[in-house]
Amino acid sequence: MTDHRDIEQANNWIELSSSALLHNATLFRRLIGRDLAFMAVVKANAYGHGMLPVAKTIEESCADWFGVFTAAEGLALREAGITVPILVLGATSRDQIDCAVEAGLRLSIMSTRGVKDLLDHPSCARVPVHLKLETGTNRQGLVGAQLPQAVSLLAGGGVTIEGAYTHFADIEDTTDHIFAAGQIDRFTALLEQMDVTVPIPHTACTAATILFSDTHFQMVRVGIGLFGLWPSRETQVSAAALERNDLDLRPVMTWKTRIAQIKDVPTGEYVGYGRTFRATRPTRIAVLPVGYADGYDRKLSGGAHTLVRGTRAPVVGRICMNLTMVDVTDVAQARAGDEVVLLGSVGDESVSAEDLARLADTINYEIVTRAAPGSPRILVP
Ligand SMILES: *Cc1c(COP(=O)(O)O)cnc(C)c1O
């Protein structure tokens, strides 16, 4: 794992607050109670936070399960010493099943093809499966006659059906949860139609976990909330209506870079490609070695703020592939080598994933997930 030396050499890096992570996990544990299982969803490098440092921090005290997208991610968790059950949420192709068997992963079954591929594997009986049921998202999921057929084929092959699950289409997109309620009804009806009893039915992502305890079943699958972010404004509004908005989620990620150079730009001069910024006063510019190649979205050009010595410093001109310029005229102390916060807080000032998402016309999920790919991740208290 990363240590401080890597950060000294990195142009940008991510700091993960282990106390925030543990705090958020504890909030969800309190919400669901002792008896249900808590799955920490750590796909996509734990939404950009860093899968291994996140998993290691919460495995012992908080996570009963981990959810990943690919068998390779599950194998990486096993190689890092993670021993709790791991569910692969994506489809696992024929040639990935070996890896899943070796790592002792649970696989999701979402197509007839998936059933056949698994049954063709000589060790298929060693792989417990979770059936993904179609209830309205029309993305992954067994539909109609595929479900009874899968159940009987798997049972015939000696495969254990450990779980059955579904995923909500719009639970975080609206304050009207009629469609989600319909999905629960369809899910329950499908469970009842199955000839076998499934020990672990599960449906709840973060928004469902927060809003509706009838979505919890035997396990919840929490991603974004674990990282201290609300799934959406709509979820916050809905939580307020249910008086559940006191959930004190704490953002885990701080994204940092360091000033590469400071320069003085005279009045009337331009900054950056396209000359979109023109100095209207003698201006001090800090050049940051981070750009859209690092996930610092070009749509943040001319809109985002960074924090330099705890003071807001606006991005000026266009964000480049590897560089960004910020105005530090009002931060007299700014020097080359100073740490700069791109996402996170310093004292009372903060730049949130939601702030950046608004500017980049996307959701907080995408901002954190695409932050600083390949750069070091380090745990801080
Ligand atoms: C990503 C994912 C989750 C987690 O969703 P959050 O909104 O981040 O909590 C849960 N279930 C499935 C199937 C997923 O793919």
Side-chain angles (χ1 to χ4, degrees):
M1 217 184 294
T2 306
D3 64 26
H4 285 89
R5 252 162 306 149
D6 296 317
I7 282 179
E8 279 160 26
Q9 284 158 31
N11 282 329
N12 69 116
W13 68 95
I14 301 264
E15 296 181 2
L16 303 171
S17 164
S18 46
S19 57
L21 194 52
L22 291 165
H23 166 88
N24 299 330
T26 308
L27 290 183
F28 282 101
R29 169 57 66 195
R30 229 174 276 149
L31 204 61
I32 66 173
R34 292 250 135 255
D35 299 336
L36 304 191
F38 179 80
M39 175 190 286
V41 179
V42 294
K43 66 193 181 197
N45 203 24
Y47 295 36
H49 290 69
M51 182 176 72
L52 298 183
V54 164
K56 288 189 161 181
T57 303
I58 59 175
E59 185 198 18
E60 239 171 71
S61 52
C62 309
D64 304 310
W65 283 68
F66 284 107
V68 293
F69 186 69
T70 64
E73 290 169 344
L75 184 61
L77 285 176
R78 285 284 180 257
E79 284 170 352
I82 299 292
T83 57
V84 300
I86 297 169
L87 176 63
V88 178
L89 297 166
T92 303
S93 67
R94 260 184 119 71
D95 42 343
Q96 295 166 334
I97 294 176
D98 270 338
C99 156
V101 172
E102 185 197 336
L105 308 177
R106 271 75 173 167
L107 296 185
S108 294
I109 294 292
M110 54 195 72
S111 67
T112 309
R113 165 88 180 271
V115 174
K116 296 203 170 106
D117 286 348
L118 180 60
L119 290 176
D120 283 347
H121 195 281
S123 303
C124 65
R126 284 169 52 198
V127 184
V129 299
H130 290 226
L131 303 181
K132 182 103 182 250
L133 311 184
E134 181 53 60
T135 61
T137 309
N138 283 301
R139 186 174 68 169
Q140 297 174 311
L142 298 162
V143 284
Q146 291 175 341
L147 176 59
Q149 193 191 16
V151 170
S152 88
L153 285 171
L154 290 165
V159 175
T160 304
I161 300 174
E162 180 182 41
Y165 71 108
T166 196
H167 195 52
F168 293 104
D170 69 346
I171 201 159
E172 55 278 283
D173 294 296
T174 170
T175 53
D176 170 0
H177 295 107
I178 297 276
F179 193 82
Q183 287 190 269
I184 289 287
D185 291 344
R186 286 190 282 283
F187 179 71
T188 311
L190 289 169
L191 282 182
E192 279 165 9
Q193 283 164 29
M194 287 169 63
D195 291 338
V196 292
T197 308
V198 178
I200 314 180
H202 47 106
T203 68
C205 55
T206 297
T209 303
I210 294 172
L211 298 177
F212 305 114
S213 51
D214 65 346
T215 64
H216 294 179
F217 292 89
Q218 289 302 312
M219 175 159 75
V220 300
R221 309 184 303 262
V222 173
I224 199 82
L226 181 63
F227 307 114
L229 303 179
W230 282 80
S232 65
R233 266 306 287 160
E234 288 78 0
T235 306
Q236 278 185 291
V237 169
S238 304
L242 297 166
E243 296 184 358
R244 288 189 176 196
N245 54 330
D246 53 354
L247 199 69
D248 167 35
L249 296 175
R250 298 186 187 161
V252 170
M253 176 183 287
T254 301
W255 184 8
K256 288 185 176 176
T257 185
R258 219 178 253 118
I259 297 178
Q261 193 186 348
I262 301 263
K263 55 192 350 170
D264 290 305
V265 175
T267 305
E269 291 278 311
Y270 300 96
V271 175
Y273 289 130
R275 299 189 286 118
T276 57
F277 175 83
R278 189 175 197 186
T280 54
R281 58 175 177 172
T283 301
R284 285 179 85 220
I285 295 293
V287 181
L288 310 180
V290 65
Y292 59 78
D294 304 291
Y296 199 61
D297 199 296
R298 191 165 172 277
K299 293 198 207 72
L300 302 173
S301 298
H305 285 81
T306 63
L307 304 177
V308 179
R309 296 194 174 231
T311 300
R312 298 179 83 82
V315 170
V316 291
R318 289 205 183 128
I319 291 167
C320 318
M321 190 180 290
N322 297 112
L323 294 168
T324 295
M325 284 70 82
V326 298
D327 185 341
V328 292
T329 314
D330 299 325
V331 196
Q333 303 300 315
R335 297 285 177 272
D338 282 358
E339 283 188 3
V340 177
V341 170
L342 301 167
L343 168 62
S345 7
V346 180
D348 292 340
E349 288 292 358
S350 83
V351 176
S352 68
E354 292 74 24
D355 292 337
L356 299 185
R358 211 172 306 117
L359 291 164
D361 193 18
T362 183
I363 53 176
N364 53 5
Y365 288 71
E366 185 178 355
I367 294 291
V368 290
T369 302
R370 298 181 68 183
S375 294
R377 266 85 181 141
I378 186 157
L379 284 165
V380 298

